[in-house]
Amino acid sequence: MATNSGRCSSEPSGFGSAGTPDPIKALYPMVNEEETPLPRCWSSKDKFSFIGLSQNNLRVHYKGHGKTHKDAASVRATHPIPAACGLYYYEVKIVSKGRDGYMGIGLSAQGVNMNRLPGWDKNSYGYHGDDGHSFCSSGTGQPYGPTFTTGDVIGCGINLIENTCFYTKNGHFLGVAFTDLPPMQLYPTVGLQTPGEVVDANFGQAPFVFDIGEMMREQRSHIRTTIKRFPVPDTHGEWQTMLHKMVSTYLVHHGYCATAEAFARSTSQDFDEELTSIKNRQKIQKLVLAGRMGEGIETVQRLYPGLLENDQNLLFMLKVRQFIEMVNGTDSEVRAVSRSPRQSHESSPSPSCWSNGPSNSNSSSVIQLHTSVIQSTKSSNGQSSSTSTTNNTLDDMNMRNAQEVTSNSSSNGTAVITTPASGVDSDAEMECIESNGHSQDNGHSNGFFNGYSKHLDPEPQETDAMDVEGNGKGRKMCGGNPAAMERMLGFGRELQRMSQVLRRELGKNEQNKKMLQDAFSLLAYNDPWNSPVGWQLDPIQREPVCQALNSAILESHQLPRRPPLEICVAHAKQLISLMSRKGLGSCAFASVESILNQ
Amino acid sequence: MDVEHSRGYIDQLYSNDPQRCFQAVSELKFAVIGSVREKGSIIEQGIVTRLLQLLTQQDSDLNLKTEVATVLNSLAKGLPEHATALVQAGLLPILWQQLEAGASCGWNAYTQMVLCCLRSVYRQGCAPVPNWDHKLLTTLIQYGYHPTSNQECVANILAHACKTSEQQQLLLEAGGAELVACMLCSPVSRVQLPALHCLAAMCHNNERVSVTIATRSYGGKAVPDLLVGLMSRDKARDMQLAAAVCLTFLHRAGALSADDPKIVFKTLQCLVRMCRRDREVWERVEAGNTLAYLTEISTELQHTAAMTDHLIQTLTDYLKCQAGPALPPVDFCASPITSRQYDGSTLWSELMKEAALKVYASLGANDEVIRQRVIETEGLMETIVNSLASASPPVQLAAVRCLHSLSRSVHTLRTTFQDHLVWKPLMAVLKSSVSEELVSMASSTLCNLLLEFSPSKEPILEQGAVEFLCGLTRKPHPGLRLNAVWALMNMAFQAEHRIKVSILHHLGTDQIFRLLSDSDVNILMKTLGLLRNLLSTKAHIDQIMQCHGKEIMQAIILILEGEHSAEVKEQALCILANIADGDMAKSAIMSNEDILKKLMNYMVIPNVKLQIAATFCISNLIWSAEEGASERQTKLRDMGVYKLLQNLMTTSDTTLFDRLKDNTLLHARLPDIHPSESSLPQEDRIHLARLWCGHYPVLNYQRNVPCGATRRRMPSLNPRPFSPLTIQVGILGGSILFPHHRGCGCAVSCNTASDPGQWTRCRDDPSSRRC
């Protein structure tokens, strides 16, 4: 009895955290064990005193007198069977039939008397070895199957979709024993009644004698067929049209321009959103995903005037991201200082604009902002940098010089990069920066190649540049440039100010506060990339920002924030988890992912 | 389409200008596609001859031939009559020939169409068995590897055309197994399904082919494993069923054993699942028939099936099935081996009944507990009796099968069968039916109903059973003769004198001689058993010997001098021993020096059983308490018998010694003779001999008869208590032993032979019997 002093509830976590494959979990992939843990052993508490447990609470033996049926004793598993199992199954091996072999195997609800065999009471169901009868909440059994005894393996299965229970003997299916099981949660239960009776349970930790996997596959294919054949009232082809619409809005939303066009053509839909709109958004997305937040914000303001001004929280989010990118050394602001004189020309207007933004929060500031946007647009459009250097300060020049002195090797690299950047082709330029980011962040940027990789025309030149950078420069804050650092700090102060303004105007916002704190925390570390807050520097963190921005733009054009397709999928997932909570077993075989990936 | 126009292209069809002709065939193609009426009309007009001529013309253009083949394919897809007409017009040989020719020329489109056409004809089920040779089959199999449309056609052709065991063998030799294995792995179910049917056709009732196929593999997986994969529960149901049929055939042909998990778990469960209420009627019928076949022999499978998924309960549903609504038939493809017409929903109730009765027959074949559960099935007995009286022959046959299976229970014979007076419709079937299979099965059942403890025995006798059975012994079908003699043997067991006389009268000594020279050793054995039972109890022996002594002695000499196995001769010696028990009859032996010499000879030959039998006969002759014993003793002593006995006393064989001691020296005299299984272990026989104290079983052997392990109650007319072992022997042998204190050897056995019909493959497996 010493063995069962160990609390068995510790078992599941032990399984999971060890990282070893968990066969029980694998049987029921749709069960969320945080909400509804799976039964993994017998409960050392929820049992009658005549029951003894051993072998990790998997072996049950009888230790009472076993004189009359009043000496019967049962034990329940630690947890009830989660509905999300869909089809639940456990097996019991009769190690010894003891004196009379009065053993019952089945299910019972919590609170059912444990001084009884399963099946005798309400909400209790059992199959008994001595007579082979099934007991459905009643003291009198019905003829059901063969008797069972020492050496037999009895399986008990519960179909949570049809609310039926079946048994198996030595791997042979005996047929349904109980129908219309109550909707309450049921526990695997065994009961023993005479001395010497010993049974071992297998909750799935070892392979079953009966092929339950095949039965699950059948259920799964059945549920899928039901889903696929679900009748849709589609009298006028509306359903079809709606589906087409969903697909095309999804493509448009994410800016898959060519695909969207092709899809619209092949389904003969109107392709009403202008291509330019997609292209604009794509451009912004690219900038944001490349970490060039300054330019991104600027482009947004140019193409969608008023958008950010009306959504200060979004603006704040973008700026915090810009700050993070500055720390990362990828933002054009910092890059410009550290690398390319021309780039600094182009992007220099934005910081000044930001310094204006928060301070003038009255209505006139909007106009003010507009003008600055126009200015910056001009500057970025201008082919020759000399005409647009009006905003350029002497300080910038100095800083640039200083940078060139301090790191020769890196300026070599930049020289190569800037060659394409001086042209109009921003795509090529983007690629440069991306490859840079890539080398810095150890390849975390997989996700964002996705959207526009088709635009990329890798040139040997660029790979060279990447190599140079990879060799010549370690990861340093703001690219290791003191001037850039300075600028970053200045920007940070502005950000702080903006946050205060926001708080005053829009009230407290925990999210914003947290965001800013996290971002500023980066400065506390010598090597922010390897700090506890270093995750912010991961390029993948650009994606939510990018999404939010994209959604805001679309919303401002009376288009959905999220594509209906994604909403639909999210809905479905939510419904599945709701089904699981409400005890609807079909959810076990309706995983959205598996259906989509089929 | 107006008549003028339609005539127009038909005229062109006979044109010598290939261009015009092609045009005409093209128009014909469009005319017949999808129109059954048009197809009929074209065939009636005799255009097929011209089409075939176009195919065989040396100079025909390939495009034209392809077009012609397309038309023929379309015609073949019409009604079965249309396909028959095509076959009668000589389509098949031409197509086969074209196929062979095409193989060398690489005419892809054309040969594809030819294959399609062949497929369509064979699928109609009206084509005769083709004359395959190795070369033709090899060609066909080569076509079967790709593309998919060819695979489908070849699989279908093979599935429908492979019917005889020679064809199965030929197909195997030509590489059919490899092709089928490959097709099973096809991703296209249109190929997989006919491939399964083809596999079933190849394996059916053919051990050699099945064993070979079971070892073939594709992609690293053996064919049986591929089949299990196709049978898994998430596959289409028709696929599951077809795979289960294949595995069943492999099992019954001996390629997979009954305890193979693929059979006892997968196949069995799949078939039981297919019997469920929520399945289509055709699925349930096919699954039921297959299940009956699967479980026909193996007690283990019967046990498992009986406890799987409430099968016995589920089948009651089959009995209640009414003619379904007249729905258009579901599109399905049943195996050509077992396929039937499911179109007419009026037949459904018959088909369902037949399937259920077959399953019940198989389930109840060997186990009394299962049998009792079957008998308790609601409405079963009524269904059996009604089906016997008035149903189509297949249902009648199934009902008789079921009855036969159930008749192996003493309890049932004495209760349920009596309640339902099953003998009445059974006799009616026997007297009216012309189907040999049906009569054979019914007479087997009759054997059991004639067991002496069966209450039906008397009324059956009153119905003129003796005359009828004696008539059956003259049938050419050996199974019928065997059953008839068997039934007579059972009837004669402890029978009244008048019955014995009646048997002898109706059978006639001529017929007895004929039966004794029967080529079937089982018939011979049962005839000897009949004689033994006739020659039992002193009074009967004397009376019978008085009338027929000469013939009987002749018959015995015939057997003893003939080229027979020891078991047969042992039986003959046992008859002699019985004769030696009669008062007057003794003289028949004593006066025949030839017989006495033969007996002495058998006492010295090195076969213990024969020695024992001969010794018994001698001991009956010298039984001192009887009149004239001293003379007989003297005579025998003079002949040197005493010396022989003394020699035998020194035998090292303990059995023989015991017998001698018991019988000869202690004067416990007569053996009780009984046909039982010689597979009984020696130890048991010794043991039994001791128990019975002077009664020894003469063990004979009924080959090829799966005997029911019947758990029986003691017959009440038995004068002596049985030891438990006696019952065990009865069960072991499927027969009952009735030791009697003296006089006569009697033989009774329960006929458990199944008929040698389609489903039957009798095997000797008495070893697995248990009490």
Side-chain angles (χ1 to χ4, degrees):
Chain A
M1 290 313 295
T3 40
N4 64 350
S5 59
R7 189 70 57 81
C8 69
S9 53
S10 66
E11 285 249 320
S13 57
F15 264 77
S17 61
T20 49
D22 177 356
I24 299 184
K25 176 76 192 135
L27 277 171
Y28 314 107
M30 292 297 277
V31 173
N32 177 3
E33 281 214 82
E34 282 166 21
E35 282 180 18
T36 49
L38 287 160
R40 285 167 186 274
C41 60
W42 301 114
S43 167
S44 51
K45 292 180 213 143
D46 197 4
K47 68 178 182 66
F48 194 65
S49 54
F50 289 171
I51 289 288
L53 297 176
S54 58
Q55 303 198 351
N56 292 326
N57 290 351
L58 289 170
R59 172 165 286 190
V60 184
H61 65 265
Y62 183 78
K63 52 176 186 178
H65 317 295
K67 282 181 185 133
T68 68
H69 72 268
K70 284 178 186 158
D71 297 326
S74 291
V75 58
R76 270 188 282 270
T78 46
H79 299 286
I81 297 161
C85 291
L87 191 60
Y88 182 81
Y89 183 74
Y90 76 99
E91 277 180 355
V92 170
K93 184 182 168 76
I94 315 302
V95 178
S96 165
K97 76 175 194 80
R99 197 184 69 205
D100 297 326
Y102 289 159
M103 300 158 292
I105 291 162
L107 307 162
S108 68
Q110 190 154 38
V112 172
N113 188 357
M114 299 311 270
N115 188 13
R116 311 271 283 161
L117 288 187
W120 285 349
D121 297 299
K122 194 165 161 47
N123 297 325
S124 166
Y125 303 86
Y127 167 36
H128 291 195
D130 55 318
D131 54 5
H133 287 189
S134 65
F135 288 73
C136 177
S137 304
S138 147
T140 49
Q142 295 291 319
Y144 167 68
T147 59
F148 55 88
T149 182
T150 307
D152 285 330
V153 177
I154 302 300
C156 173
I158 166 166
N159 183 329
L160 294 138
I161 299 165
E162 289 157 9
N163 288 319
T164 56
C165 169
F166 63 87
Y167 289 93
T168 66
K169 180 184 172 181
N170 299 329
H172 299 296
F173 182 71
L174 299 182
V176 169
F178 310 112
T179 55
D180 303 312
L181 292 177
M184 63 185 61
Q185 292 194 312
L186 295 169
Y187 292 71
T189 308
V190 293
L192 306 175
Q193 197 187 302
T194 63
E197 291 169 354
V198 183
V199 299
D200 274 350
N202 178 7
F203 291 105
Q205 70 272 17
F208 290 124
V209 177
F210 178 72
D211 190 350
I212 191 70
E214 208 193 322
M215 214 167 175
M216 287 192 174
R217 282 196 292 280
E218 185 188 31
Q219 282 288 346
R220 184 168 295 123
S221 86
H222 180 69
I223 296 281
R224 286 205 183 151
T225 318
T226 312
I227 293 171
K228 276 183 190 156
R229 295 192 184 157
F230 188 78
V232 184
D234 188 18
T235 39
H236 308 293
E238 287 158 357
W239 178 254
Q240 192 68 24
T241 318
M242 189 163 66
L243 289 179
H244 285 161
K245 195 102 189 146
M246 278 173 88
V247 173
S248 83
T249 49
Y250 175 81
L251 294 171
V252 166
H253 186 102
H254 290 289
Y256 300 116
C257 183
T259 316
E261 248 187 303
F263 182 77
R265 221 181 303 120
S266 65
T267 55
S268 49
Q269 285 184 96
D270 298 331
F271 191 46
D272 42 14
E273 209 207 11
E274 283 176 45
L275 275 177
T276 47
S277 157
I278 300 182
K279 283 187 174 145
N280 284 337
R281 282 189 292 113
Q282 229 170 16
K283 200 165 164 189
I284 294 164
Q285 280 186 43
K286 271 184 233 163
L287 287 169
V288 173
L289 290 175
R292 291 162 62 182
M293 292 302 298
E295 281 167 86
I297 293 166
E298 179 195 325
T299 317
V300 172
Q301 284 172 328
R302 172 161 51 85
L303 298 172
Y304 303 100
L307 174 76
L308 292 177
E309 289 71 22
N310 290 331
D311 189 349
Q312 289 288 321
N313 278 326
L314 177 65
L315 178 63
F316 184 72
M317 186 207 254
L318 294 176
K319 286 180 75 179
V320 171
R321 187 68 215 171
Q322 185 179 9
F323 178 80
I324 294 165
E325 297 299 348
M326 282 171 125
V327 173
N328 206 8
T330 40
D331 189 65
S332 28
E333 191 77 10
V334 184
R335 283 180 66 84
V337 173
S338 59
R339 311 263 165 87
S340 152
R342 282 201 183 107
Q343 271 188 343
S344 79
H345 286 309
E346 288 170 21
S347 47
S348 51
S350 24
S352 67
C353 136
W354 297 128
S355 58
N356 288 342
S359 54
N360 304 322
S361 54
N362 52 24
S363 60
S364 69
S365 77
V366 178
I367 302 158
Q368 176 75 13
L369 277 166
H370 271 270
T371 30
S372 71
V373 168
I374 291 158
Q375 278 177 344
S376 70
T377 314
K378 269 183 193 159
S379 73
S380 64
N381 285 342
Q383 296 300 309
S384 97
S385 57
S386 59
T387 53
S388 58
T389 44
T390 42
N391 292 346
N392 215 349
T393 55
L394 275 171
D395 291 349
D396 286 340
M397 303 289 276
N398 290 338
M399 272 183 243
R400 203 191 320 137
N401 292 338
Q403 194 272 333
E404 273 170 9
V405 175
T406 46
S407 68
N408 279 330
S409 64
S410 109
S411 70
N412 270 347
T414 10
V416 183
I417 297 167
T418 44
T419 325
S422 62
V424 210
D425 187 4
S426 63
D427 282 353
E429 183 191 10
M430 283 277 317
E431 163 64 6
C432 287
I433 291 153
E434 172 44 26
S435 356
N436 184 17
H438 193 87
S439 69
Q440 279 184 340
D441 296 309
N442 305 325
H444 282 293
S445 52
N446 279 343
F448 95 91
F449 265 111
N450 227 351
Y452 57 93
S453 57
K454 61 185 170 185
H455 295 288
L456 302 176
D457 301 307
E459 293 166 36
Q461 216 181 355
E462 288 162 7
T463 22
D464 289 347
M466 204 170 76
D467 287 344
V468 171
E469 280 186 332
N471 295 335
K473 170 175 157 279
R475 280 197 309 198
K476 284 184 186 158
M477 215 181 271
C478 303
N481 182 308
M485 196 90 83
E486 189 86 357
R487 187 164 291 214
M488 181 264 290
L489 290 174
F491 187 80
R493 277 190 289 278
E494 282 169 26
L495 208 53
Q496 175 73 30
R497 232 172 293 140
M498 182 182 179
S499 128
Q500 282 159 0
V501 171
L502 273 183
R503 204 164 104 188
R504 220 177 307 129
E505 288 178 359
L506 302 171
K508 256 192 183 168
N509 186 327
E510 281 303 317
Q511 208 185 334
N512 284 351
K513 193 177 158 191
K514 170 100 172 41
M515 212 153 54
L516 194 63
Q517 265 177 9
D518 284 347
F520 284 171
S521 304
L522 287 169
L523 300 182
Y525 298 91
N526 272 337
D527 182 1
W529 288 273
N530 287 325
S531 70
V533 289
W535 54 269
Q536 298 177 88
L537 297 166
D538 190 331
I540 209 128
Q541 295 301 325
R542 293 166 188 161
E543 286 183 20
V545 178
C546 182
Q547 292 258 336
L549 180 58
N550 192 29
S551 300
I553 294 170
L554 287 163
E555 203 173 27
S556 72
H557 283 66
Q558 273 73 48
L559 288 167
R561 267 187 78 84
R562 286 180 74 187
L565 190 64
E566 281 177 17
I567 291 178
C568 191
V569 170
H571 256 184
K573 284 183 185 166
Q574 198 57 36
L575 284 172
I576 297 279
S577 64
L578 192 64
M579 280 170 83
S580 140
R581 252 170 263 141
K582 291 290 171 192
L584 296 169
S586 323
C587 66
F589 305 113
S591 152
V592 176
E593 279 84 4
S594 70
I595 288 172
L596 290 180
N597 295 334
Q598 212 177 14
Chain B
M1 188 174 290
D2 59 292
V3 181
E4 277 309 303
H5 184 75
S6 81
R7 278 282 353 137
Y9 69 79
I10 286 170
D11 287 341
Q12 294 295 321
L13 211 56
Y14 294 89
S15 161
N16 284 327
D17 177 7
Q19 206 56 46
R20 282 180 164 188
C21 195
F22 181 80
Q23 199 60 39
V25 176
S26 255
E27 279 191 51
L28 181 59
K29 179 177 80 178
F30 293 122
V32 295
I33 283 176
S35 162
V36 173
R37 208 187 51 183
E38 200 67 30
K39 284 172 196 181
S41 146
I42 292 294
I43 289 167
E44 267 175 37
Q45 290 176 57
I47 291 170
V48 175
T49 324
R50 171 61 182 162
L51 292 174
L52 294 179
Q53 195 192 346
L54 286 173
L55 276 187
T56 45
Q57 262 174 23
Q58 286 297 318
D59 53 346
S60 281
D61 173 50
L62 202 55
N63 286 335
L64 174 63
K65 285 168 112 179
T66 311
E67 205 72 355
V68 169
T70 314
V71 173
L72 288 169
N73 181 29
S74 176
L75 292 176
K77 281 181 169 172
L79 301 174
E81 298 91 280
H82 299 157
T84 314
L86 289 176
V87 172
Q88 281 164 356
L91 171 73
L92 289 174
I94 293 172
L95 287 182
W96 286 118
Q97 175 216 327
Q98 292 294 309
L99 199 65
E100 278 200 296
S104 50
C105 309
W107 303 331
N108 283 332
Y110 176 54
T111 46
Q112 266 185 33
M113 199 37 82
V114 169
L115 280 171
C116 284
C117 193
L118 277 169
R119 184 248 350 240
S120 304
V121 174
Y122 277 104
R123 277 191 72 155
Q124 293 280 14
C126 52
V129 172
N131 284 323
W132 279 339
D133 56 34
H134 187 73
K135 186 160 160 272
L136 183 63
L137 271 176
T138 316
T139 312
L140 189 61
I141 282 165
Q142 271 167 9
Y143 282 121
Y145 279 97
H146 86 107
T148 307
S149 74
N150 275 5
Q151 288 191 302
E152 183 203 345
C153 291
V154 170
N156 267 307
I157 295 167
L158 292 177
H160 284 83
C162 178
K163 289 196 158 61
T164 66
S165 60
E166 292 79 30
Q167 284 178 324
Q168 290 169 333
Q169 187 63 33
L170 267 176
L171 190 50
L172 182 75
E173 282 160 12
E178 288 78 8
L179 175 67
V180 168
C182 166
M183 284 174 171
L184 291 182
C185 297
S186 159
V188 187
S189 63
R190 219 155 29 86
V191 175
Q192 287 172 315
L193 198 56
L196 287 170
H197 295 153
C198 177
L199 188 61
M202 282 176 80
C203 297
H204 187 232
N205 264 336
N206 192 326
E207 182 173 349
R208 270 177 74 191
V209 173
S210 296
V211 168
T212 316
I213 287 179
T215 59
R216 290 285 185 273
S217 60
Y218 187 83
K221 285 185 99 179
V223 167
D225 295 320
L226 291 174
L227 290 173
V228 169
L230 291 173
M231 203 170 56
S232 69
R233 300 172 78 135
D234 48 350
K235 291 278 187 277
R237 284 180 190 171
D238 48 359
M239 191 91 79
Q240 290 183 38
L241 190 53
V245 169
C246 288
L247 284 163
T248 301
F249 287 0
L250 282 175
H251 162 61
R252 286 303 302 274
L256 293 173
S257 72
D259 54 4
D260 189 316
K262 290 189 269 297
I263 296 297
V264 71
F265 287 104
K266 299 288 179 181
T267 310
L268 186 66
Q269 278 184 21
C270 174
L271 289 172
V272 174
R273 201 163 60 231
M274 291 287 165
C275 292
R276 277 191 204 160
R277 284 183 185 83
D278 55 352
R279 308 290 158 133
E280 304 283 348
V281 168
W282 76 266
E283 284 177 296
R284 301 180 77 186
V285 172
E286 291 282 317
N289 287 330
T290 314
L291 189 62
Y293 186 47
L294 179 74
T295 56
E296 194 179 5
I297 301 299
S298 159
T299 313
E300 205 47 49
L301 288 178
Q302 287 158 8
H303 267 289
T304 309
M307 76 175 191
T308 299
D309 202 6
H310 310 298
L311 177 64
I312 293 177
Q313 198 55 37
T314 309
L315 288 171
T316 58
D317 220 42
Y318 279 50
L319 302 178
K320 295 175 207 142
C321 175
Q322 297 300 313
L327 294 169
V330 255
D331 184 34
F332 70 93
C333 188
S335 159
I337 298 269
T338 55
S339 78
R340 298 166 186 236
Q341 296 299 313
Y342 295 100
D343 307 357
S345 62
T346 44
L347 285 176
W348 284 359
S349 96
E350 295 252 297
L351 290 170
M352 290 283 270
K353 261 183 211 151
E354 185 196 348
L357 291 173
K358 277 189 192 167
V359 179
Y360 281 134
S362 289
L363 289 182
N366 297 341
D367 186 290
E368 180 65 14
V369 178
I370 300 175
R371 203 175 285 141
Q372 288 310 319
R373 283 175 62 200
V374 169
I375 288 165
E376 282 159 20
T377 302
E378 187 196 334
L380 176 63
M381 284 314 292
E382 288 80 4
T383 307
I384 291 177
V385 171
N386 293 338
S387 303
L388 280 178
S390 57
S392 60
V395 186
Q396 269 187 323
L397 180 60
V400 176
R401 265 178 203 283
C402 194
L403 202 60
H404 179 227
S405 195
L406 298 178
S407 71
R408 291 176 189 162
S409 154
V410 177
H411 179 74
T412 308
L413 283 178
R414 295 171 73 95
T415 55
T416 320
F417 277 21
Q418 193 56 20
D419 297 343
H420 289 90
L421 297 176
V422 292
W423 60 269
K424 276 187 181 169
L426 187 68
M427 283 305 285
V429 166
L430 272 171
K431 286 181 175 171
S432 63
S433 178
V434 285
S435 154
E436 263 185 359
E437 198 185 1
L438 187 54
V439 172
S440 163
M441 186 50 76
S443 53
S444 290
T445 315
L446 195 66
C447 287
N448 290 347
L449 289 176
L450 284 173
L451 285 168
E452 39 71 53
F453 47 79
S454 160
S456 315
K457 186 177 178 179
E458 276 306 310
I460 293 175
L461 286 174
E462 281 162 24
Q463 289 280 309
V466 175
E467 200 178 346
F468 175 76
L469 288 171
C470 291
L472 272 191
T473 62
R474 297 182 176 88
K475 293 277 180 187
H477 188 284
L480 290 182
R481 290 202 304 273
L482 175 65
N483 286 342
V485 179
W486 202 330
L488 288 171
M489 181 183 88
N490 284 356
M491 199 189 275
F493 175 76
Q494 289 192 331
E496 294 165 38
H497 186 245
R498 63 177 171 91
I499 295 171
K500 290 184 178 174
V501 170
S502 166
I503 291 173
L504 276 169
H505 171 72
H506 286 289
L507 202 57
T509 42
D510 294 355
Q511 181 60 16
I512 291 179
F513 278 114
R514 234 171 278 138
L515 289 170
L516 286 177
S517 48
D518 202 295
S519 56
D520 187 335
V521 71
N522 292 320
I523 295 175
L524 178 56
M525 290 293 277
K526 293 294 168 217
T527 312
L528 291 171
L530 169 64
L531 282 176
R532 281 172 65 189
N533 283 354
L534 289 173
L535 292 167
S536 69
T537 71
K538 258 184 192 312
H540 295 174
I541 294 168
D542 285 340
Q543 280 167 335
I544 291 169
M545 284 305 286
Q546 216 160 18
C547 305
H548 307 282
K550 204 173 144 216
E551 291 88 349
I552 288 172
M553 291 309 285
Q554 260 180 6
I556 291 167
I557 291 167
L558 180 82
I559 297 297
L560 290 179
E561 288 178 349
E563 292 283 315
H564 293 294
S565 64
E567 280 82 12
V568 175
K569 299 205 167 171
E570 187 186 15
Q571 285 288 321
L573 290 173
C574 290
I575 297 173
L576 272 186
N578 276 18
I579 295 170
D581 186 49
D583 287 331
M584 329 277 264
K586 280 190 176 71
S587 61
I589 298 174
M590 290 307 294
S591 61
N592 192 333
E593 293 242 343
D594 183 29
I595 287 275
L596 288 175
K597 279 189 182 139
K598 278 197 166 65
L599 277 173
M600 287 167 67
N601 192 31
Y602 282 113
M603 285 172 79
V604 292
I605 65 160
N607 181 317
V608 177
K609 280 197 264 178
L610 294 180
Q611 280 179 312
I612 293 171
T615 313
F616 270 119
C617 187
I618 296 294
S619 79
N620 275 354
L621 290 174
I622 58 178
W623 183 248
S624 40
E626 276 165 2
E627 195 183 333
S630 55
E631 291 129 59
R632 285 195 295 275
Q633 283 171 357
T634 318
K635 180 170 185 186
L636 288 173
R637 191 179 292 121
D638 292 348
M639 287 182 76
V641 171
Y642 189 70
K643 202 157 179 248
L644 284 178
L645 284 172
Q646 276 183 324
N647 287 346
L648 284 173
M649 287 302 293
T650 62
T651 180
S652 55
D653 188 301
T654 52
T655 326
L656 185 54
F657 179 80
D658 284 349
R659 296 293 152 74
L660 289 166
K661 196 175 64 175
D662 290 345
N663 298 296
T664 319
L665 301 179
L666 301 176
H667 300 287
R669 325 187 322 172
L670 247 204
D672 197 57
I673 319 170
H674 186 267
S676 174
E677 302 279 346
S678 69
S679 58
L680 200 62
Q682 185 78 15
E683 301 75 44
D684 282 3
R685 279 190 264 151
I686 296 165
H687 192 51
L688 280 170
R690 287 189 177 133
L691 261 173
W692 296 342
C693 198
H695 298 278
Y696 83 108
V698 174
L699 302 154
N700 74 6
Y701 187 78
Q702 182 75 44
R703 273 193 67 77
N704 258 353
V705 179
C707 293
T710 50
R711 186 177 298 185
R712 292 186 167 158
R713 273 176 38 190
M714 237 63 55
S716 55
L717 34 141
N718 176 28
R720 270 168 55 163
F722 278 48
S723 71
L725 245 161
T726 321
I727 302 166
Q728 191 184 7
V729 168
I731 289 153
L732 279 163
S735 333
I736 309 168
L737 301 172
F738 296 102
H740 291 279
H741 64 293
R742 53 165 300 160
C744 32
C746 304
V748 161
S749 70
C750 177
N751 185 344
T752 52
S754 308
D755 72 313
Q758 185 209 356
W759 289 106
T760 319
R761 190 179 192 104
C762 299
R763 321 185 98 241
D764 309 332
D765 56 344
S767 51
S768 63
R769 299 287 135 71
R770 42 179 214 185
C771 187

